[in-house]
Amino acid sequence: MEKLFDIIFLDEAFEYLKSLEIKHYKKILYNIRKAQTHHDPELFKKLVDEIWEFRTLYQGTHHRMLSFWDKTDSNNTLVVSTNGFVKKRSKVPESEINKAKQLLIQYFKYKEKVKK
């Protein structure tokens, strides 16, 4: 099946994944790969503004990987994963959303700077 988007992980997201037990890490990556080929809001959905979340429930733990879309290249749709955390309440913590928004701003500033 054709991929709907490619994905990259910023340092914060990668560090979160590295901190997990290997089974949790593998399950998150499995769900992300699945979301790349299927529209499934249980796996990947819009959270707020430009921020989206990859959702994984594994062994009673709710993992969230916040992300945003980079559609600046018309040939390659890209999702940028910014940060990850364990969701412990019904609402996603505002601090995690703000972190993702700051990383989005930094990402596009850096991309613009490199382009010049």
Side-chain angles (χ1 to χ4, degrees), residues 54-114:
F54 286 104
R55 305 156 52 99
T56 298
L57 172 60
Y58 185 67
Q59 295 182 340
T61 303
H62 294 267
H63 296 280
R64 296 294 187 263
M65 300 290 297
L66 300 187
S67 307
F68 61 86
W69 293 85
D70 177 354
K71 297 181 180 180
T72 56
D73 180 350
S74 60
N75 296 323
N76 186 26
T77 303
L78 185 64
V79 170
V80 180
S81 183
T82 57
N83 54 309
F85 60 96
V86 173
K87 185 176 170 200
K88 297 180 181 178
R89 299 186 189 117
S90 60
K91 286 187 74 175
V92 172
E94 203 63 36
S95 61
E96 295 294 343
I97 294 170
N98 290 337
K99 186 187 300 183
K101 287 178 178 181
Q102 283 302 116
L103 290 167
L104 176 150
I105 291 165
Q106 290 173 11
Y107 172 86
F108 284 111
K109 278 184 182 176
Y110 176 77
K111 191 169 182 176
E112 189 63 30
K113 183 177 167 185
V114 170

Side-chain angles (χ1 to χ4, degrees), residues 9-47:
F9 297 92
L10 297 183
D11 290 341
E12 290 82 353
F14 186 65
E15 289 301 319
Y16 174 73
L17 290 171
K18 281 186 5 184
S19 75
L20 299 174
E21 293 178 32
I22 193 71
K23 287 182 178 182
H24 290 257
Y25 178 95
K26 286 182 176 182
K27 180 64 173 180
I28 291 169
L29 292 182
Y30 170 81
N31 280 350
I32 289 173
R33 284 191 297 272
K34 196 171 170 184
Q36 286 179 293
T37 59
H38 297 85
H39 291 286
D40 185 348
E42 290 299 315
L43 297 175
F44 187 55
K45 72 174 209 168
K46 187 172 185 174
L47 190 57

